[in-house]
Amino acid sequence: MDRGRRERHPPARPDATTRARLVDGLAGGVAAFRAHPLFHKIVDVDPELLLPYLLDRRGASQDALLGLITGALAEGHADGSVRRLHPDLQARSLLLVVQSFAMSLRTMTEPDDPGLTDAAFLEELRTLLERTLSP
């Protein structure tokens, strides 16, 4: 999918809570990752390339994302918009959820059922994130 056809997400409002920005960022990130041509190429040509990062070890990109999530969680804890929990446990749990939607979503969708489309699952991801992060 080319840049012009990517699903657009409205930018977070400046007055949005940290939780809202985190949910928007994670759900938007999943959508962007899934739309990226390189992701499609890897999944179609060499999906085994992803297995070590799903089963055995974290990669640099996962560590970078964990750092961003942990920082956002600290902001959310401070402003009261995010449920307090051990920040590393919370960040890693969020990454596990987000990764499963990013990597496995196509195994759950049904193009002929409007209730089981990519968009429906991404909206459900937003709900899951919102509810798990709410204080």
Side-chain angles (χ1 to χ4, degrees), residues 50-116:
L50 299 171
L51 286 178
Y53 303 104
L54 295 174
L55 302 175
D56 296 324
R57 66 181 184 275
R58 289 192 317 265
S61 296
Q62 290 162 309
D63 282 336
L65 185 53
L66 281 172
L68 292 171
I69 294 170
T70 303
L73 290 171
E75 289 178 30
H77 294 162
D79 73 15
S81 67
V82 172
R83 176 177 59 96
R84 286 190 179 273
L85 187 66
H86 186 292
D88 291 332
L89 172 63
Q90 200 170 24
R92 291 171 188 203
S93 296
L94 289 173
L95 184 56
L96 285 169
V97 170
V98 168
Q99 271 184 178
S100 70
F101 272 78
M103 299 294 183
S104 301
L105 185 61
R106 79 178 185 173
T107 67
M108 297 295 141
T109 60
E110 295 290 338
D112 297 334
D113 185 335
L116 298 174

Side-chain angles (χ1 to χ4, degrees), residues 6-7 9 26-36 102 122 125:
R6 280 192 191 151
E7 186 175 332
H9 297 280
L26 291 173
V30 168
F33 182 79
R34 291 186 44 71
H36 199 281
L122 289 172
L125 173 60

